[in-house]
């Protein structure tokens, strides 16, 4: 057993470092980042000055809370290259967030940064028990989006065989599953379900007919219910993967076989949880906004970057042997949070209700609108194929049942409309689950 655990921990020194030693390393690295940012980037000099702090004021990790945050709007204001700390001649790759509104966030990488990215991704593969004996079917989108390249280079680093399929052409993807017999699937959780659905339509049962054993899913919010759905349909063990363009892309944190939160690669990314309203740093276990400081990135360092992702931290060493800080599943993104009739609603709460009901398919759309000055939520969800043919009355009964469950979970009422199978648009990458029509009336 000991051997097996060691083999799965890609970087034994970094991932099992005693906490005190890790803290010393983090402080040392953070002090360097602060000096570089302050002296090479006018933005950080100004934001430090506004808080009357200098890099030298960071004498311990506790001092970090005296330093200013960096917001997504700061990145926008400095778009595209204003926060890069190295000359463009040292930058060998650019990526950008998939943000659909406004300007995207641009990520920049020196050769060392790309090396770091492969390293943290290799750790993620290791934690999922993937090694050179595996074949990775990579269905994350390639291109500006960090998902494709991140999972690609990490798989090469551990020596697995990578199949760079990207999104789209779902039937062809399933054909490749049959012919190549990959053991690992990497994609967004919503696309994993689309592929599972396509396989079923083609008369293939992934559980008995294929070799998939590990799934590495992330880049969008998903629930435990969604995990069970994917695992049972594809016959694999699903590992949650977290990252963002602002920090590096995927590889910031990953699950181990204990599935008790995601191990943060905290020798490179330093996490904090804050109260989003006051900016106050919260204790371990408390839920708030995740904030990261990069410790080693060259081209695009970030200091106290507010991710808007809501979660909590767990410092307890894990029985897998890793001592790295763990973050819990993201329950929502503060900018995904809907305020409906004054009540905070996260799409993940609605997903949790829908995915526990077997009469409907795990495909839904949340439409928020304002009718006669009152906010209303309508949840459209597809009937399961078998159920759909049982008639109107049955569908009405299902929607009533879901409505009751939703009012209990959300604290406000939501209308449920059960729609025909396959009538809601499928996504290849990140699913678009919310349609907020209220802005249209302004
Ligand atoms: P965009 O901001 O356009 O979505 P990114 O591709 O950089 O661009 O997305 C990063 C964001 O995706 C994270 O801040 C987080 O909100 C979300 N995300 C990534 N991985 C996960 C995950 N495992 N669970 C929940 N949300 C995730
Ligand atoms: Zn662990």
């Amino acid at each position: 057993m000991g051997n097996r655990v060691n083999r799965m921990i890609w970087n034994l020194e970094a991932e099992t470092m005693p906490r005190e030693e890790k803290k010393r390393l983090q402080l040392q690295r953070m002090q360097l980042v602060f000096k570089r940012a302050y002296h090479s980037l006018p933005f950080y000099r100004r934001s430090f000055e506004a808080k009357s702090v200098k890099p030298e004021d960071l004498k311990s990790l506790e001092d970090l809370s005296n330093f200013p945050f960096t917001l997504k709007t700061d990145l926008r204001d400095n778009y595209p290259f204003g926060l890069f700390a190295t000359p463009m001649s040292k930058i060998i790759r650019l990526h950008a967030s998939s943000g659909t509104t406004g300007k995207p966030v641009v990520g920049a990488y020196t050769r060392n940064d790309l090396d770091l990215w492969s390293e943290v991704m290799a750790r993620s593969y290791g934690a999922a028990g993937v090694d050179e004996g595996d074949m990775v079917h990579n269905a994350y989108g390639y291109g500006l989006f960090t998902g494709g390249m991140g999972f690609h280079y990490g798989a090469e680093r551990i020596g697995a065989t990578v199949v760079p399929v990207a999104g789209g052409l779902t039937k062809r993807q399933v054909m490749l599953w049959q012919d190549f017999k990959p053991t690992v699937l990497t994609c967004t959780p919503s696309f994993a379900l689309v592929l599972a659905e396509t396989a079923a339509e083609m008369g293939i049962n992934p559980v008995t007919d294929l070799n998939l054993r590990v799934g590495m899913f992330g880049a969008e919010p998903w629930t435990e219910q969604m995990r069970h759905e994917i695992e049972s349909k594809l016959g694999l063990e699903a590992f949650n993967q977290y990252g963002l363009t602002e920090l590096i892309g995927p590889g910031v944190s990953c699950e181990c076989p204990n599935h008790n939160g995601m191990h943060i690669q905290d020798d490179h990314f330093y996490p904090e949880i804050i109260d989003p309203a006051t900016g106050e740093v919260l204790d371990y276990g408390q839920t708030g906004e995740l904030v990261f400081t990069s410790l080693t990135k060259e081209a695009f360092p970030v200091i106290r970057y507010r991710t808007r992702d809501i979660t909590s931290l767990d410092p307890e060493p894990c029985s897998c042997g890793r001592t790295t800080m763990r973050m819990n599943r993201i329950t929502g993104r503060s900018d995904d949070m809907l305020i409906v009739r004054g009540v905070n609603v996260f799409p993940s709460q609605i997903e949790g209700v829908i995915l526990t009901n077997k009469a409907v398919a795990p495909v839904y759309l949340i439409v928020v609108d304002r009718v006669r000055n009152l906010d209303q939520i309508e949840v459209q969800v597809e009937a399961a194929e078998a159920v759909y043919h049982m008639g109107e009355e049955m569908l009405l009964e299902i929607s009533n049942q879901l409505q009751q469950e939703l009012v209990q979970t959300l604290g406000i009422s939501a209308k449920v409309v059960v729609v025909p199978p396959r009538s809601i648009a499928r996504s290849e990458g990140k699913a678009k689950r919310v349609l907020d029509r209220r802005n249209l009336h302004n």
Side-chain angles (χ1 to χ4, degrees):
M1 186 63 197
N3 274 342
R4 175 130 190 274
V5 167
N6 287 355
R7 194 172 61 94
M8 293 195 338
I9 297 184
W10 174 258
N11 188 328
L12 209 52
E13 193 196 345
E15 295 179 78
T16 66
M17 188 178 284
R19 184 58 50 84
E20 287 311 309
E21 197 181 330
K22 171 75 64 66
K23 281 187 176 166
R24 281 196 296 274
L25 179 70
Q26 288 171 325
L27 178 62
Q28 233 173 37
R29 289 181 166 176
M30 202 181 282
Q31 287 169 332
L32 279 178
V33 170
F34 278 33
K35 283 203 186 87
R36 280 189 59 227
Y38 183 85
H39 293 293
S40 61
L41 293 167
F43 165 77
Y44 283 108
R45 178 180 286 266
R46 276 198 305 272
S47 73
F48 277 32
E49 274 168 3
K51 282 224 132 198
S52 309
V53 283
K54 288 209 149 54
E56 299 73 53
D57 297 328
L58 186 80
K59 296 194 167 64
S60 74
L61 290 173
E62 284 66 44
D63 295 332
L64 180 58
S65 61
N66 302 324
F67 285 82
F69 293 115
T70 305
L71 307 176
K72 188 158 188 159
T73 49
D74 295 324
L75 306 192
R76 292 231 164 101
D77 294 344
N78 290 282
Y79 174 86
F81 307 145
L83 293 180
F84 296 170
T86 46
M88 199 50 88
S89 58
K90 296 274 175 254
I91 291 172
I92 61 170
R93 175 100 62 79
L94 295 177
H95 278 282
S97 74
S98 49
T100 42
T101 51
K103 299 283 190 191
V105 170
V106 184
Y109 306 76
T110 63
R111 198 171 296 282
N112 287 337
D113 292 335
L114 284 185
D115 189 59
L116 162 66
W117 197 11
S118 297
E119 158 70 20
V120 290
M121 278 310 305
R123 293 185 196 175
S124 307
Y125 278 106
V130 178
D131 63 22
E132 72 276 351
D134 282 293
M135 183 188 288
V136 178
H137 180 106
N138 186 16
Y140 279 106
Y142 282 70
L144 278 176
F145 174 49
T146 52
M149 302 278 230
F151 278 88
H152 183 105
Y153 281 88
E156 285 191 354
R157 176 65 58 94
I158 59 157
T161 310
V162 201
V163 188
V165 196
L169 301 170
T170 50
K171 285 208 167 105
R172 207 179 132 84
Q173 299 220 13
V174 175
M175 182 194 84
L176 294 179
W177 283 357
Q178 289 179 288
D179 298 343
F180 291 8
K181 294 279 180 340
T183 50
V184 180
L185 170 64
T186 55
C187 62
T188 58
S190 53
F191 193 53
L193 276 184
V194 173
L195 289 170
E197 186 180 59
T198 307
E201 278 169 13
M202 291 166 69
I204 292 152
N205 178 355
V207 181
T208 51
D209 304 345
L210 301 173
N211 290 25
L212 294 173
R213 62 175 195 87
V214 167
M216 295 169 72
F217 306 122
E220 64 183 0
W222 55 312
T223 54
E224 277 306 309
Q225 288 86 350
M226 177 80 96
R227 187 210 297 275
H228 298 316
E229 184 81 22
I230 297 173
E231 288 186 332
S232 66
K233 285 192 169 153
L234 288 176
L236 48 71
E237 183 176 350
F239 292 80
N240 199 0
Q241 309 292 317
Y242 173 85
L244 61 166
T245 312
E246 293 89 325
L247 272 188
I248 200 156
V252 173
S253 67
C254 64
E255 273 183 338
C256 73
N258 289 328
H259 301 286
N260 53 356
M262 293 177 275
H263 286 279
I264 298 172
Q265 308 308 341
D266 58 4
D267 50 336
H268 297 293
F269 312 110
Y270 185 86
E272 297 172 274
I273 294 284
I274 62 158
D275 178 332
T278 63
E280 185 200 344
V281 177
L282 300 180
D283 282 339
Y284 297 137
Q286 288 190 289
T287 300
E289 181 178 348
L290 183 60
V291 171
F292 274 113
T293 299
S294 71
L295 300 178
T296 49
K297 268 196 332 158
E298 293 178 341
F300 183 29
V302 286
I303 295 174
R304 302 199 87 199
Y305 180 68
R306 290 184 58 162
T307 64
R308 303 167 320 279
D309 292 327
I310 307 296
T311 184
S312 57
L313 294 175
D314 184 351
E316 282 306 305
C318 181
S319 68
C320 71
R322 290 175 183 80
T323 53
T324 44
M325 182 79 71
R326 277 173 289 140
M327 55 185 265
N328 286 308
R329 186 178 277 285
I330 305 282
T331 50
R333 199 157 146 167
S334 56
D335 43 5
D336 281 351
M337 188 181 78
L338 298 162
I339 302 179
V340 180
R341 280 174 263 150
V343 176
N344 298 348
V345 173
F346 282 105
S348 60
Q349 295 175 292
I350 296 176
E351 179 176 300
V353 168
I354 288 174
L355 268 80
T356 38
N357 192 313
K358 291 294 155 213
V360 292
V363 189
Y364 63 94
L365 181 69
I366 301 164
V367 184
V368 190
D369 207 348
R370 187 163 295 146
V371 182
R372 276 180 254 109
N373 279 324
L374 202 63
D375 292 344
Q376 300 205 325
I377 306 183
E378 179 181 295
V379 181
Q380 301 175 0
V381 55
E382 286 182 10
E385 194 77 45
V387 172
Y388 187 63
H389 303 289
M390 292 179 179
E392 281 291 305
E393 229 165 86
M394 183 67 179
L395 300 184
L396 215 62
E397 197 177 305
I398 296 165
S399 72
N400 281 338
Q401 199 184 338
L402 284 170
Q403 278 173 189
Q404 278 172 24
E405 287 169 22
L406 282 175
V407 85
Q408 274 170 22
T409 306
L410 305 178
I412 52 164
S413 64
K415 186 179 172 197
V416 175
V417 182
V418 181
V419 299
R422 317 218 93 251
S423 57
I424 294 174
R426 280 11 180 202
S427 75
E428 289 178 9
K430 302 186 186 224
K432 181 106 190 74
R433 308 253 193 226
V434 180
L435 185 61
D436 198 336
R437 290 211 172 109
R438 290 175 297 186
N439 330 347
L440 301 177
H441 306 301
N442 293 340

